[in-house]
Amino acid sequence: MKFTAYIANEIKENNWLNEHLVIVVPSQRATKYIMAELARAYNKPIFSPTMITINELIKKHAQSNLLETSRLLLSLYQAYKKVEITEHQSFEDFLSWGPMLLNDFEEIDRYLLDTNQVFKNLKSIKELESWTLEGKELTDAQKKFMVFWDVLPELYSELQLILANKERLSAGMAYKKLAENTNVLFQQDAETFYLFAGFNALSTAELQLINN
């Protein structure tokens, strides 16, 4: 049985189809398939349930505080300019690695990771990668690279502070915030019933959101 048919049958058998039902799906594509299966299961005109993607759910409860990637990169560069290192790169050079670092920060938030432990482990890995069996001294480029890894915790914290002062959130922060306070999902309707359907790879924040 297809998962969409299974979901439709569960909704019908448990009498979940009412104005309080909200079906959360991974993408818009899934909505039309679930609606088709619901129509097939009931075989009559039915009340159309609210269907929303997980990203739309997060965005809805982040209200207007979510920042788009380009503005997040500007905030990250602003944070980078504040950390104490010998020489800061230009914004053009920053763009060669800034998006990747921003994505890593997003993953840290979405997986509710211990930032201190994450950065400690990353630094250890990079130290091992830079170490040579011959015991040769690190080049200037390698030393600069290692210094950068030293300031990652400060850079992450500075970005968080900048966004907090602006009352803005990254997507990862929004996922984390909602996972840690699911009560806001029921502010408008205490009887809301959320049905998460079609997910096969969940971040820790998403899993915590569903379990709560």
Side-chain angles (χ1 to χ4, degrees):
M1 180 184 292
K2 294 185 296 184
F3 93 88
T4 49
Y6 174 79
I7 293 298
N9 289 337
E10 285 290 300
I11 291 173
K12 183 180 180 181
E13 291 177 8
N14 290 284
N15 196 29
W16 289 338
L17 192 60
N18 56 50
E19 69 273 20
H20 303 295
L21 176 63
V22 177
I23 304 175
V24 184
V25 293
S27 66
Q28 281 290 350
R29 184 181 180 186
T31 60
K32 64 178 182 180
Y33 293 111
I34 293 176
M35 282 304 303
E37 290 295 345
L38 281 172
R40 189 175 294 111
Y42 282 88
N43 196 29
K44 64 178 182 180
I46 59 172
F47 175 84
S48 180
T50 299
M51 278 198 273
I52 188 171
T53 67
I54 183 70
N55 285 336
E56 289 171 341
L57 180 68
I58 299 299
K59 185 176 181 179
K60 175 183 177 181
H61 290 283
Q63 298 176 348
S64 60
N65 294 334
L66 276 180
L67 274 184
E68 60 186 22
T69 301
S70 59
R71 292 188 178 275
L72 280 171
L73 280 171
L74 289 172
S75 295
L76 180 58
Y77 186 66
Q78 182 183 350
Y80 166 67
K81 293 287 285 185
K82 288 186 176 183
V83 299
E84 293 187 12
I85 56 177
T86 304
E87 182 181 354
H88 291 95
Q89 296 181 11
S90 67
F91 184 69
E92 289 72 20
D93 291 332
F94 161 81
L95 287 177
S96 66
W97 53 267
M100 291 182 289
L101 182 60
L102 183 60
N103 183 68
D104 288 342
F105 285 175
E106 289 282 85
E107 291 296 291
I108 286 173
D109 288 331
R110 289 184 62 155
Y111 282 87
L112 309 181
L113 299 176
D114 181 331
T115 54
N116 290 329
Q117 191 61 48
V118 168
F119 294 133
K120 181 180 178 181
N121 291 342
L122 283 174
K123 185 173 184 296
S124 297
I125 291 170
K126 293 305 173 184
E127 285 175 344
L128 286 173
E129 290 177 351
S130 299
W131 183 72
T132 62
L133 290 175
E134 294 82 5
K136 294 179 180 177
E137 186 177 349
L138 296 178
T139 65
D140 289 340
Q142 287 174 318
K143 289 178 180 178
K144 288 182 179 179
F145 188 67
M146 293 309 301
V147 168
F148 175 74
W149 287 94
D150 282 334
V151 300
L152 276 183
E154 183 184 353
L155 183 52
Y156 175 85
S157 298
E158 189 63 47
L159 175 61
Q160 298 279 312
L161 180 60
I162 288 173
L163 294 180
N165 289 337
K166 294 178 179 178
E167 297 184 349
R168 293 293 184 264
L169 298 168
S170 67
M173 292 168 63
Y175 269 86
K176 181 178 180 179
K177 185 177 181 179
L178 186 57
E180 293 175 344
N181 182 25
T182 56
N183 291 333
V184 298
L185 293 172
F186 306 96
Q187 286 181 341
Q188 293 183 341
D189 181 4
E191 296 183 55
T192 301
F193 179 74
Y194 289 92
L195 177 62
F196 291 80
F199 292 88
N200 58 9
L202 295 166
S203 68
T204 308
E206 290 168 327
L207 189 59
Q208 184 169 306
L209 175 61
I210 293 172
N211 289 335
N212 289 345

